[in-house]
Amino acid sequence: MQIRLYTDGACDIHAENKPGGWAAILQATNFDGELAKETVASGGAEGTTNNQMELTAVVEGLKLLSRPAALTVYSDSRYVIDIARGAKKPAKNRKLWRTYFDLASQHMLDLKYVAGHSGDALNERCDKLAVAERRKFAKPAHGLAAQSVASDIEIYLSTQVSRKHRTATWATVIVEGGVEREASGRAERVSELESTLIGAIRCLERLPPGKSATLFTAQEYLSKGMNLWLAGWEARGWKTRGGEPVKYRARWQRLQALARGRRLNFRFVKQRDDNPHFQRGKELAAERLQRA
């Protein structure tokens, strides 16, 4: 028999109660590829993170095994794969990791990374189950969180900068209806802030007209500029309260033009490590910077 375990986790870290869900599918097939047995498990929690849910899915999946076995574990979490393989050490979730290593020591595991939303049927099944569990624990959001939940499109914007080479890169992961799209770019002789503005512009230029969107960014100046300061700058002839010219005025005006006719919200996100979209954006921006 060949045994494989597919796992996935999901978490809305922007919701007030941070609901999460996990799912595991354990399958045994004969050497002709015929399915002999399948066991499915799923669950969820509040006040969690994406990494916790990804790891919980693997832990609960291994608990489905009734005796020691050789199996392949598939996960779309680089966090799980890297630490489970020993490439990195866990800085958080240590109790959960101890449980994982105790369970893993009883089996012969082959760990494989599978890219999320890449067409793998079992990964897609796990994703849907995990998202369904997450929704069970979700509570109505308020204020800016409610606006982001109601948006048609979510945009996750990341940047990287090399001061030595005077180069900055940006990358975005755009999520619409559960489908992800990626984009990235590079700019020479610009600051990280200007690179962020360029990335936001390129992203909004790709959006269908009239669609509402929430753009998540680690650049607080971008979120405050678009949400709080833009009207004041314009009223003062594009000058700050101190009377200084607004930097990158042309970029801000382009963003302002793209924002017209749609409900658009910019949200500052301080903690990004537990969000897979930000992790992917960080990788894309770093790859662009390395090629530069």
Side-chain angles (χ1 to χ4, degrees):
M1 302 296 289
Q2 293 180 330
I3 303 174
R4 55 182 179 173
L5 173 65
Y6 269 80
T7 66
D8 200 12
C11 180
D12 184 357
I13 63 170
H14 305 299
E16 292 181 7
N17 66 321
K18 294 180 173 57
W22 60 267
I25 300 176
L26 182 67
Q27 286 190 344
T29 58
N30 60 30
F31 287 99
D32 293 325
E34 297 172 337
L35 182 63
K37 184 178 180 181
E38 178 181 273
T39 306
V40 179
S42 62
E46 293 184 65
T48 186
T49 67
N50 190 75
N51 286 345
Q52 285 177 3
M53 290 294 94
E54 294 281 6
L55 180 54
T56 298
V58 179
V59 168
E60 295 300 326
L62 292 177
K63 288 180 180 179
L64 299 175
L65 294 164
S66 58
R67 58 180 180 273
L71 71 152
T72 303
V73 179
Y74 297 85
S75 171
D76 62 9
S77 170
R78 295 186 186 278
Y79 166 78
V80 168
I81 294 295
D82 287 347
I83 296 179
R85 285 176 174 171
K88 295 181 179 179
K89 293 183 179 180
K92 297 180 180 180
N93 308 314
R94 291 183 179 179
K95 183 177 180 180
L96 192 56
W97 273 112
R98 284 196 295 271
T99 301
Y100 164 79
F101 285 117
D102 286 344
L103 290 167
S105 66
Q106 303 171 30
H107 309 283
M108 293 180 61
L109 303 185
D110 181 18
L111 299 153
K112 289 191 176 181
Y113 172 78
V114 55
H117 305 292
S118 59
D120 187 293
L122 285 174
N123 176 260
E124 295 293 342
R125 279 183 63 193
C126 275
D127 176 71
K128 290 180 180 178
L129 288 168
V131 170
E133 291 290 347
R134 183 196 71 194
R135 287 172 177 163
K136 291 179 183 178
F137 288 85
K139 292 181 179 180
H142 303 282
L144 292 179
Q147 292 179 30
S148 67
V149 170
S151 296
D152 299 314
I153 301 170
E154 291 183 350
I155 305 165
Y156 298 83
L157 177 60
S158 300
T159 56
Q160 294 278 317
V161 63
S162 171
R163 291 179 175 83
K164 178 180 179 182
H165 298 98
R166 301 178 67 192
T167 300
T169 59
W170 58 268
T172 59
V173 176
I174 304 170
V175 183
E176 181 179 8
V179 178
E180 296 179 15
R181 291 181 286 132
E182 298 175 350
S184 63
R186 183 178 80 240
E188 309 294 337
R189 294 182 294 278
V190 299
S191 67
E192 188 169 11
L193 172 58
E194 188 173 10
S195 177
T196 303
L197 296 176
I198 293 170
I201 289 169
R202 298 291 178 267
C203 222
L204 296 182
E205 288 174 340
R206 289 172 164 83
L207 299 186
K211 291 268 187 166
S212 63
T214 298
L215 188 149
F216 299 96
T217 175
Q219 182 60 259
E220 190 172 16
Y221 200 87
L222 171 60
S223 65
K224 287 186 175 179
M226 292 301 294
N227 292 330
L228 302 174
W229 301 335
L230 204 60
W233 287 342
E234 190 173 28
R236 290 189 293 270
W238 291 94
K239 292 185 182 296
T240 66
R241 286 185 176 180
E244 297 294 324
V246 174
K247 285 187 176 181
Y248 317 122
R249 172 178 172 176
R251 306 287 190 197
W252 289 109
Q253 288 177 323
R254 179 58 178 155
L255 278 172
Q256 184 182 43
L258 289 168
R260 290 194 182 101
R262 72 167 82 240
R263 183 162 54 81
L264 185 63
N265 182 46
F266 287 75
R267 288 199 62 198
F268 168 65
V269 180
K270 186 175 182 180
Q271 300 294 333
R272 295 166 291 149
D273 292 342
D274 289 323
N275 188 294
H277 304 311
F278 272 125
Q279 288 176 351
R280 178 56 181 156
K282 183 179 179 180
E283 292 171 2
L284 288 170
E287 289 170 7
R288 273 278 187 171
L289 194 61
Q290 188 174 19
R291 290 203 298 271

